[in-house]
Amino acid sequence: MCGIVGYVGPRVATPVLIEGLKRLEYRGYDSAGVAVMNGNGVETRKAVGKIAALESVVGDDPVEGMTGIAHTRWATHGAPNECNAHPHHDCTGTIAVVHNGIIENYGALRTMLQGHGHTFVSETDTEVLAHLIEAAFDGNLEEAVADSLHLVEGTYGIAVVSSQDPVKIVAARKGSPLLLGLGEGENFLASDVAAILKYTRDVVYLDDGELAVITADSYRVFDLQAVQREKKVSKIDWDLDMIEKGGFAHFMLKEIFEQPTTIENTMRGRLVTEEGFSKLGGINLSREELQNIDNVVITACGTSWHSALIGELLIEDLARIPVEVEYASEFRYRNPIITQRTLCVVISQSGETADTLAAMREAKRRGAKTLGLVNVVGSTIAREDDGGIYLHAGPEIGVASTKAFTSQVVALLLLTLKLARRRDMSAARGREIAQAMEHLPAQIREILDRAGEIEELAEQFKDASNFLYLGRGYNFPVALEGALKLKEISYIHAEGYPAAEMKHGPIALIDANMPVVFIAPHDAVFDKVVSNVQEVKARGGRVIALTSREEPTLKKLADYEFRIPETLDMLYPILAAIPLQLLAYYIAAKRGLNVDQPRNLAKSVTVE
Ligand code: F6R
């Protein structure tokens, strides 16, 4: 995720800013930059890649000054290159802006500003902020920033400097964290306290809708109507390691808890609830091309392959287009039936998985249109596909994929809405699905609030040697995903199976030592799944049931029950995945294992 650092005081700003950026490296980023006021104007240095690259640019061409802002970018709009790296400028080059978040209406704002003669140099949404502030500037930077933000829709944490109103930094927050660090005769700004902890432990957290002005010896917080806000100064007593993980013991747990926000980010600006439709700017498919798709092939690996299986059910169920799901590693060596009317959907968190990339190239070579569902902007798959839907889930650092999975399913839902509404699905049905999707973040929060129940369950089962996960319909892929999560981080052997298929073999494994996790929400196949639970109980198995409603038969059969909120059948995979991620996490943590970096695994598998 992007990071922001700001400094104003008696020190030379650049080393302080770069030191701060280094403290944010753990969050993941692809480029970085600083803007410092040198007494005459604003000077900017940027570099793609590691902070070390920026340090070397600054080393070759130093910038001296005592007020500055800096940024690490994790691309969301436009490739990770120097031009798109922050800080961004207005036309005069006197205003510099760094921004975390997404400006949803940047397209309309950009067109409006271009109409007034502003020239844009980057592909970012952020650059509109610099030009809006330029247009509103009348000698006072905070007033210009406040005026501009009235026009902006979306999320932001921003820091702004201007050589026309120097020795101050103006900051504002809506949806992206930002805090002030208070020093003696110097003040700091950061998106994350890790960046400034070396200098101060006294911080003021900005709330949504607040702006701040910091100078070397003062700070002021107010709202968009210029009404002053009284703020509490907090003392930080965490150490750096705890801060990087946001107070969580591991990145994986932090990423599990981020999911209400990450899926909101995947939907943001795309879900048109009233029309039961989705706006997907990057798919590069005309209305005719969408209507003329004969078949869809979805290819991926691992967790992404599990979301592909859910995509198959969604697209066939709602858009009535035949879908095949292929392991990328197999697809590349098969002789698949692909025509120019085939849409090949390629799913990858990293966008760099060698097998998935090769499968996409093969599909392209055979004439298919390719559509990438990718998290990492500017990754190879994202660059080479014909169109794409970025997940906007932010960097995933834990090796076991969690938040990318739920965002992939949300992206597949958005794609399905688009395909289905271009065909026969009614607006009313689309609206029903979109409305239910809007509830997902709050429903995930409800589940996360009860993480303690899963932790207790993990205590009961942490010494098991085998696990079975069973589900049907939309929840069969969730069973596979639950089993994969457990085996990769806890090293417990686990298998996922379609619940009814169990009696054709795996039922032989069942005894009192085999915990069986049933994903059994109240969906179209609930009664069938309860019959499968009965089969397991009859053989002495221990049953953990994930369900969505009190139901006496299941309650009597299950040894443990965990409730997830009710939703539409097709949305249960998103809710059911969360307790399974937590179960895997807590079991692995209780076994004392390296949860974030399990043995033998890499975050991005770039070899065949
Ligand atoms: C499982 C996991 C892997 C990846 C797989 C594909 O938790 O992380 O199974 O899902 O290696 O990676 P991407 O999605 O980056 O192509």
Side-chain angles (χ1 to χ4, degrees):
M1 216 83 94
C2 308
I4 290 177
V5 191
Y7 176 75
V8 46
R11 304 177 203 238
V12 177
T14 315
V16 178
L17 296 171
I18 288 183
E19 164 79 29
L21 291 184
K22 282 187 180 165
R23 294 289 170 205
L24 302 182
E25 282 196 292
Y26 74 93
R27 297 163 63 95
Y29 65 100
D30 46 51
S31 50
V34 292
V36 172
M37 281 191 285
N38 65 4
N40 300 317
V42 181
E43 274 203 74
T44 299
R45 303 284 183 271
K46 299 180 184 184
V48 175
K50 295 285 163 206
I51 306 292
L54 179 65
E55 259 183 316
S56 115
V57 169
V58 171
D60 293 345
D61 189 6
V63 263
E64 301 247 319
M66 286 151 184
T67 306
I69 54 177
H71 191 258
T72 44
R73 174 172 189 250
W74 200 76
T76 61
H77 292 73
N81 56 31
E82 217 172 281
C83 179
N84 289 332
H86 301 208
H88 289 286
H89 293 275
D90 66 325
C91 299
T92 65
T94 59
I95 295 168
V97 180
V98 295
H99 164 227
N100 292 350
I102 297 173
I103 307 295
E104 284 167 23
N105 60 339
Y106 87 102
L109 291 173
R110 189 174 165 123
T111 308
M112 182 271 283
L113 287 158
Q114 281 168 330
H116 288 95
H118 290 261
T119 307
F120 283 76
V121 296
S122 78
E123 301 162 90
T124 64
D125 52 338
T126 302
E127 198 184 344
V128 299
L129 293 171
H131 293 278
L132 282 174
I133 296 166
E134 175 190 5
F137 190 80
D138 192 17
N140 178 291
L141 188 59
E142 54 268 35
E143 283 172 17
V145 171
D147 287 351
S148 306
L149 292 178
H150 282 293
L151 302 173
V152 166
E153 287 164 25
T155 55
Y156 51 79
I158 57 168
V160 189
V161 291
S162 169
S163 56
Q164 296 183 70
D165 189 9
V167 273
K168 66 163 76 152
I169 302 173
V170 177
R173 170 193 165 142
K174 185 183 162 205
S176 282
L178 216 48
L179 54 94
L180 315 180
L182 311 179
E184 294 283 323
E186 60 183 355
N187 283 314
F188 304 81
L189 178 76
S191 53
D192 182 325
V193 74
I196 56 168
L197 203 65
K198 182 172 168 193
Y199 303 100
T200 178
R201 287 181 172 267
D202 293 332
V203 305
V204 171
Y205 292 99
L206 294 187
D207 289 313
D208 279 351
E210 288 180 344
L211 289 89
V213 180
I214 59 168
T215 65
D217 45 25
S218 73
Y219 72 93
R220 194 161 65 81
V221 179
F222 48 99
D223 66 16
L224 278 176
Q225 278 68 44
V227 177
Q228 190 94 4
R229 293 266 176 102
E230 288 310 314
K231 300 296 289 183
K232 186 173 125 237
V233 178
S234 308
K235 257 261 172 301
I236 301 296
D237 51 12
W238 295 358
D239 64 29
L240 212 52
D241 187 52
M242 282 163 77
I243 289 166
E244 288 179 346
K245 296 185 180 111
F248 291 98
H250 296 95
F251 283 111
M252 180 180 174
L253 190 60
K254 174 170 175 265
E255 286 158 9
I256 292 172
F257 272 80
E258 277 171 10
Q259 288 173 106
T261 310
T262 50
I263 67 160
E264 215 156 50
N265 285 343
T266 311
M267 290 190 268
R268 189 183 303 286
R270 292 166 164 171
L271 193 63
V272 189
T273 306
E274 273 319 297
E275 292 163 41
F277 196 62
S278 66
K279 278 196 295 191
L280 298 171
I283 62 174
N284 296 336
L285 289 166
S286 66
R287 182 182 276 258
E288 288 70 41
E289 281 171 322
L290 279 171
Q291 270 157 353
N292 290 339
I293 293 167
D294 276 346
N295 67 320
V296 175
V297 172
I298 316 181
T299 188
C301 301
T303 289
S304 302
W305 184 79
H306 297 153
S307 67
L309 293 176
I310 297 166
E312 174 181 26
L313 297 169
L314 286 169
I315 296 171
E316 291 201 341
D317 189 7
L318 300 169
R320 311 300 297 150
I321 306 172
V323 182
E324 273 186 72
V325 174
E326 300 269 5
Y327 282 115
S329 52
E330 293 296 316
F331 177 80
R332 59 188 293 194
Y333 295 118
R334 288 212 306 111
N335 186 13
I337 299 168
I338 299 267
T339 73
Q340 295 193 338
R341 289 158 78 115
T342 301
L343 176 67
C344 179
V345 177
V346 182
I347 308 180
S348 175
Q349 187 285 129
S350 61
E352 301 293 351
T353 302
D355 285 323
T356 312
L357 177 61
M360 181 179 82
R361 287 178 176 157
E362 181 60 19
K364 250 186 157 176
R365 198 181 64 76
R366 289 171 181 260
K369 282 258 176 220
T370 57
L371 181 73
L373 268 57
V374 171
N375 196 32
V376 180
V377 174
S379 55
T380 312
I381 292 176
R383 286 200 310 273
E384 291 192 17
D385 58 19
D386 296 315
I389 307 172
Y390 279 125
L391 303 181
H392 293 322
E396 199 177 58
I397 293 166
V399 163
S401 189
T402 52
K403 60 178 181 172
F405 174 74
T406 44
S407 281
Q408 285 165 354
V409 179
V410 168
L412 286 161
L413 277 156
L414 293 169
L415 175 64
T416 304
L417 282 180
K418 182 117 192 153
L419 292 170
R421 290 282 285 113
R422 282 272 170 264
R423 294 175 178 236
D424 290 336
M425 191 172 76
S426 68
R429 177 79 170 127
R431 199 175 307 124
E432 184 196 11
I433 297 168
Q435 279 165 350
M437 286 171 72
E438 281 190 332
H439 289 129
L440 288 170
Q443 292 178 316
I444 294 176
R445 261 180 219 112
E446 247 180 77
I447 295 171
L448 293 171
D449 285 346
R450 289 187 288 113
E453 290 176 40
I454 302 283
E455 193 173 358
E456 280 169 30
L457 205 59
E459 187 58 41
Q460 305 278 323
F461 289 99
K462 66 177 194 304
D463 298 319
S465 313
N466 297 285
F467 255 87
L468 199 57
Y469 288 74
L470 301 175
R472 299 183 78 155
Y474 277 107
N475 293 305
F476 160 53
V478 183
L480 294 177
E481 176 59 9
L484 178 63
K485 281 296 84 92
L486 185 70
K487 68 184 132 193
E488 67 185 332
I489 60 168
S490 73
Y491 316 143
I492 295 173
H493 169 246
E495 279 191 62
Y497 245 80
E501 184 64 18
M502 173 193 60
K503 58 184 169 294
H504 299 286
I507 199 163
L509 296 170
I510 287 171
D511 62 18
N513 298 319
M514 170 71 99
V516 185
V517 180
F518 273 95
I519 299 116
H522 282 254
D523 59 7
V525 289
F526 175 75
D527 292 334
K528 305 279 172 206
V529 177
V530 172
S531 309
N532 303 135
V533 176
Q534 249 145 358
E535 290 160 7
V536 168
K537 283 313 288 178
R539 280 142 192 102
R542 284 197 293 166
V543 169
I544 301 164
L546 287 191
T547 189
S548 56
R549 198 191 293 167
E550 170 122 15
E551 200 280 331
T553 319
L554 183 62
K555 200 177 168 71
K556 223 163 72 211
L557 289 169
D559 298 274
Y560 302 90
E561 222 184 63
F562 184 84
R563 293 279 173 76
I564 56 175
E566 293 209 78
T567 185
L568 300 179
D569 286 12
M570 70 204 63
L571 304 187
Y572 276 123
I574 295 170
L575 299 184
I578 314 284
L580 299 187
Q581 294 167 350
L582 286 168
L583 183 64
Y585 168 78
Y586 285 123
I587 288 180
K590 282 175 191 297
R591 287 164 77 106
L593 296 169
N594 185 348
V595 175
D596 284 332
Q597 283 165 337
R599 70 184 180 205
N600 307 339
L601 290 175
K603 185 66 189 156
S604 175
V605 186
T606 52
V607 291
E608 193 181 336

